[in-house]
Amino acid sequence: MDVTTGKKKVADTAADAYHAHGTTAERWARGQLFFEAREYTTAARVLVSVAEEAPEQLAPRLLLARAYYHSAQLSRAEAELRVILERWPVEDYARLMLGRTLERLGRADEARPHLRMAAAMAGEFPL
């Protein structure tokens, strides 16, 4: 996006078209490939439409949150993880990721209860 005009550049439009190309299943597979290749920003661009089109599916949302986390888009990771936990409150991995995300955002006090809950859900009790 051109910051002076507020308009999308031609390259941005072409990239958006690429990320949105194909069926939901094809984009899901492509998002997984980008994630496995550690192209986290590109994976997130592909997966965002998959998560929007299949909101009842946990896997795309969780992979999207992980892509955001690994590409240091921490506010987006936090938002996606909160959506996941609202719908699936017993998803211990999402709870752990939310705790880690909050830690990376410098919000350790807010992270602590999520990390404790994730540990308890995974059966890891302190001695």
Side-chain angles (χ1 to χ4, degrees):
M1 175 140 333
D2 187 323
V3 292
T4 57
T5 65
K7 294 182 181 179
K8 281 192 168 196
K9 296 178 184 176
V10 174
D12 290 340
T13 305
D16 290 344
Y18 170 75
H19 296 127
H21 177 73
T23 66
T24 304
E26 290 168 340
R27 283 181 279 118
W28 165 240
R30 195 164 60 245
Q32 289 176 302
L33 289 173
F34 280 120
F35 188 89
E36 290 168 9
R38 297 184 178 184
E39 294 288 337
Y40 302 118
T41 302
T42 305
R45 286 184 185 139
V46 173
L47 292 167
V48 72
S49 65
V50 176
E52 288 171 355
E53 290 175 26
E56 73 286 354
Q57 296 292 318
L58 173 62
R61 287 191 168 282
L62 199 52
L63 192 60
L64 174 59
R66 291 176 64 200
Y68 283 149
Y69 179 87
H70 288 296
S71 62
Q73 298 179 64
L74 301 177
S75 295
R76 288 180 177 174
E78 177 188 2
E80 192 62 38
L81 290 163
R82 290 192 187 278
V83 168
I84 290 168
L85 290 170
E86 188 174 302
R87 185 164 181 143
W88 296 279
V90 295
E91 178 53 50
D92 61 323
Y93 186 67
R95 183 86 48 197
L96 174 66
M97 280 189 59
L98 179 57
R100 296 287 183 231
T101 300
L102 292 169
E103 282 182 330
R104 284 184 69 186
L105 286 166
R107 295 158 48 193
D109 289 342
E110 194 177 341
R112 201 167 295 114
H114 294 287
L115 295 173
R116 273 196 230 119
M117 194 179 305
M121 292 167 109
E124 300 169 6
F125 300 102
L127 298 176

